[in-house]
Amino acid sequence: MRSSNPFAFWRFEALFENSEQFIGGFFRTILIAALALVLALAIGVMIGLFSTSKNRFLKVFARIYVEFFQNIPLVILIFFMYNGLAMAGLVMSEFTIGVVGVGFYHGAYIGEVVRAGITAIPKGQTEAAYSQGFDYIQTMRYIILPQTVKIILPPLANQAVNLIKNTSVLAIIAGADLMYSADSYASSSLNYGPAYLVAGLLYFSLCYPLAVFAKMYEEKLKNKDIVTVTPISLPEVIE
């Protein structure tokens, strides 16, 4: 007679016999997270630049974008894209909703990270660049952003961790991600304990290395005092 223990060995055996479902969801989660992160980084850099520009319209746009996405739950955004937009005639696949929804949502948080990194650079460097004939775009491209990257890497890694975990909300729209795969298997087999435990370990395997990197790099910055930016020589202006 099989044990009724929710973590009995036979339950894990049954799970690994159906491991294809978990493997498919795992790699789908990685793909969605990777594409969403690329989108979030692109949006984040744009929002960060808008937030620190002298153009009032761009600054207001960036502030509205950040406040909007930081103050609504991601699940509401996903439901809106899945049901609301579909009713308006714009039907998207669960995969597309995952990439776009998670990407736009985390773009607001990364935008704040980029903004904080840019403002951490001494204003004297921007003024020096302008005095050499650089415009705003050239100043950001050649002087400010290269130094900003070193400062914002740890919080960016933390945002990547949060992004990976937030892909789990796609389970509510049958996104075929890791969480949906685990929940589907658990519901059909009643092996809830092993299913959620393995899903948690798979998420852990993705997130923990990034969290460790963020912590180690932050300690490296503190030890080497990289956060204190030193003046650099200005490159020639490229016409």
Side-chain angles (χ1 to χ4, degrees):
M1 183 176 179
R2 287 183 171 182
S3 170
S4 60
N5 186 329
F7 295 100
F9 182 74
W10 69 266
R11 294 184 181 274
F12 286 94
E13 283 186 319
L15 184 150
F16 287 113
E17 288 176 358
N18 295 274
S19 60
E20 297 84 1
Q21 189 173 354
F22 281 81
I23 293 174
F26 179 68
F27 283 106
R28 188 175 175 88
T29 290
I30 292 176
L31 183 57
I32 291 173
L35 294 177
L37 181 59
V38 171
L39 178 60
L41 286 171
I43 293 173
V45 171
M46 180 187 71
I47 293 299
L49 291 174
F50 285 1
S51 298
T52 55
S53 72
K54 295 182 179 180
N55 187 301
R56 182 173 178 81
F57 173 78
L58 295 180
K59 293 182 74 170
V60 170
F61 173 82
R63 195 71 255 153
I64 292 174
Y65 184 94
V66 169
E67 293 296 338
F68 177 78
F69 283 103
Q70 285 191 349
N71 289 283
I72 63 169
L74 176 58
V75 65
I76 296 295
L77 177 61
I78 296 300
F79 268 135
F80 173 77
M81 296 178 68
Y82 185 71
N83 294 317
L85 293 183
M87 292 184 66
L90 181 58
V91 179
M92 293 184 287
S93 67
E94 292 82 1
F95 182 88
T96 302
I97 291 174
V99 172
V100 175
V102 175
F104 271 64
Y105 184 81
H106 279 277
Y109 290 90
I110 292 179
E112 284 293 271
V113 171
V114 174
R115 180 192 63 79
I118 291 175
T119 56
I121 306 298
K123 291 184 178 180
Q125 298 211 23
T126 301
E127 295 170 355
Y130 288 157
S131 70
Q132 296 296 315
F134 283 61
D135 59 26
Y136 177 76
I137 298 299
Q138 290 172 329
T139 299
M140 287 295 165
R141 178 180 177 183
Y142 297 111
I143 308 300
I144 305 302
L145 289 181
Q147 299 177 82
T148 301
V149 171
K150 295 180 180 179
I151 299 174
I152 67 176
L153 268 180
L156 278 183
N158 288 328
Q159 283 301 320
V161 169
N162 291 331
L163 185 150
I164 292 171
K165 292 188 293 186
N166 279 341
T167 60
S168 61
V169 303
L170 297 180
I172 63 177
I173 60 169
D177 61 305
L178 175 58
M179 186 62 213
Y180 177 75
S181 299
D183 194 52
S184 296
Y185 170 78
S187 299
S188 62
S189 66
L190 301 183
N191 283 349
Y192 292 101
Y196 295 133
L197 177 61
V198 170
L201 290 175
L202 289 174
Y203 277 112
F204 182 84
S205 70
L206 293 175
C207 297
Y208 184 68
L210 288 171
V212 171
F213 166 78
K215 184 176 181 180
M216 292 179 63
Y217 194 86
E218 192 170 10
E219 289 299 321
K220 182 180 178 181
L221 289 178
K222 291 179 181 178
N223 294 336
K224 294 189 176 181
D225 200 26
I226 297 178
V227 175
T228 303
V229 181
T230 56
I232 64 174
S233 59
L234 299 175
E236 295 181 358
V237 178
I238 298 178
E239 298 294 342

